[in-house]
Amino acid sequence: MALKKYFPIFVMPTLIAFLIAFAVPFVLGLYLSFTEFTTVVDAEWVGIENYLKAFSNDDFLNALWFTVKFTVVSVITINVIAFTLALILTKGLKGTNLFRTVFFMPNLIGGIVLGYIWQLIINGVLNFAGVTITYDPKYGFWGLVILMNWQLIGYMMVIYIAGIQNIPSDLQDASKVDGANRLQTLRNVTIPLVMPSITICLFLTITNSFKLFDQNLALTAGAPSKQTAMLALDIYNTFYSRIGWEGVGQAKAVIFFVIVAAISFVQLALTRKKEVEQ
Amino acid sequence: MNQKKKFSVRIFLYAVLICVSAAFLAPVFIVLLNSFKGRFFISEEPFSFPDSQTFAGIENYINGLEKTEFISAFGWSVFITVFSVAAIVVFTSMTAWYIVRVKNAFTKALYFIFVFSMIVPFQMVMFTMTKTAGELGLDTPWGIVIIYLGFGAGLAVFMFCGFLKSVPLEIEEAAMIDGCNPLQTFFMVVFPILRPTAITVAILNAMWIWNDYLLPYLLIGSEYRTIPIAVQYLRGGYGSVDMGALMAMLVLSIVPIVIFYLFCQKYIIKGIVAGAVKG
């Protein structure tokens, strides 16, 4: 086929950009995680020392635990609320589109701006108790959970709505005729049939929560004393505000990558099994 | 009886929806209110309406625009988003077509690596990418377009390939027989068919790039500010945040997005759903 000769035009631009932005930095990053360096060219091999340092670093372990807790809580709350709203909005009520527009809107606002919006609101509420969000790490934690809910509920809801609308209506009618009540219909018809949407939403909320950075930076920047710093922010701090720890920062980044990749694989493998063939 | 029950259920559902809507709109409304208050009155009582004592007119807006150079930041955000999205849509669709139509070990490997890049978090390549791009002189608004093309390639190639697999060969072959070269065939025959996917790819990438903070901050932040960088810039040192200017800049960051959203809502929501289903 003549197309093959057109490789330089069709593939080269994307490939070169991809090599510069991703492939070369990725390989270089893997290598550098086993070295000590400050400017890339002065790298010296140190074996797994950076990884040992990372795992004995309190900031890192704290960030890891904080991130896991945050991800679990926000994934559950976001999906339960989003799914409930999707059920309500597929009942054929008037004004459904208007509500959908409103719920989806926060998803378009950037993380930095979201962080400052909620900093104002949460500090305003805490002001009645005479404190601010950086007074106690649990305020920062719940602040982030609320923010994440506000941002992602509309997004997930839209995906659930599409999933529910795809269910053939004769299936729901059939279960009604068979005498199933609402809860039984939900459990035995609706949920199994929207399993693909549930897979997607779980996947999106887990990875988005786990990789959160901008919102974390704007809302608390890790305060008080790094206790509300999530993994991405801790890696950033290790690179850019601790001299001589670049190698450890890169090792933390590799660990971060391995966790995110593992979540993606496990999660997809698990829920794909439960999907119903349509 | 049943009719009555249905009616009360409906009232209850509306009450729930209205309460949730209020929770979704209130934060933005509160920020808007505070943007008209004097800077020292904001942290103390953010939930009160501005009164004769606290009302500051558009002072915060003037202040904020000057401090952050917001107008130039808006310009750079538009520049970077438009060119990056255009580059991603054009180049990755071409690459995807090549991958799907030229089937060999190399294109298979290429596809696999593109897909793989989707699951790698930014922090993994943050430091090395910034250094590499800096070495190559890509720390400019034009350079960052190339970086975004590289970063956006994974998802975009994946989505275009997914769609192209279901496009029949016959139309393309007919065009080739009629004497079109591959470039003509692609832009005159294939690309128009790709339109729905192209819109989805454009929307997903526009949302990401417009709101992206860390990548432009690390790469060009010392010389060029985008909107998120301009907003974050106000934080400055501890305790020195000009709350008034911050509120005003938050409002100015949200307004263009909301306007854009209200006009293109249909495409945005469709694009998001399509993107999620394939991603």
Side-chain angles (χ1 to χ4, degrees), chain B residues 70-81:
Chain B
F70 189 88
I71 293 174
S72 106
F74 183 84
W76 286 122
S77 278
V78 171
F79 176 93
I80 293 169
T81 307

Side-chain angles (χ1 to χ4, degrees), chain A residues 57 63 94 142 172 205:
Chain A
N57 178 232
K94 272 182 196 149
W142 289 106
Q172 287 182 320
T205 39

Side-chain angles (χ1 to χ4, degrees), chain B residues 125-191:
Chain B
V125 295
M126 171 177 73
F127 186 83
T128 43
M129 185 277 294
T130 316
K131 289 278 180 216
T132 317
E135 280 301 307
L136 295 169
L138 295 176
D139 45 359
T140 64
W142 279 114
I144 207 169
V145 170
I146 296 175
I147 298 298
Y148 273 126
L149 171 60
F151 258 99
L155 179 67
V157 166
F158 174 70
M159 290 184 64
F160 280 123
C161 281
F163 186 80
L164 276 165
K165 278 174 195 158
S166 64
V167 174
L169 261 173
E170 285 78 16
I171 319 166
E172 295 164 28
E173 281 171 346
M176 293 272 204
I177 292 166
D178 287 349
C180 286
N181 67 34
L183 262 182
Q184 289 166 324
T185 309
F186 180 77
F187 282 105
M188 285 155 61
V189 179
V190 182
F191 197 75

Side-chain angles (χ1 to χ4, degrees), chain A residues 1 3-4, chain B residues 97-104 107-108:
Chain A
M1 192 167 163
L3 179 59
K4 216 174 169 190
Chain B
W97 191 53
Y98 188 93
I99 289 177
V100 172
R101 293 295 180 241
V102 179
K103 278 186 192 134
N104 56 32
T107 54
K108 263 188 200 149

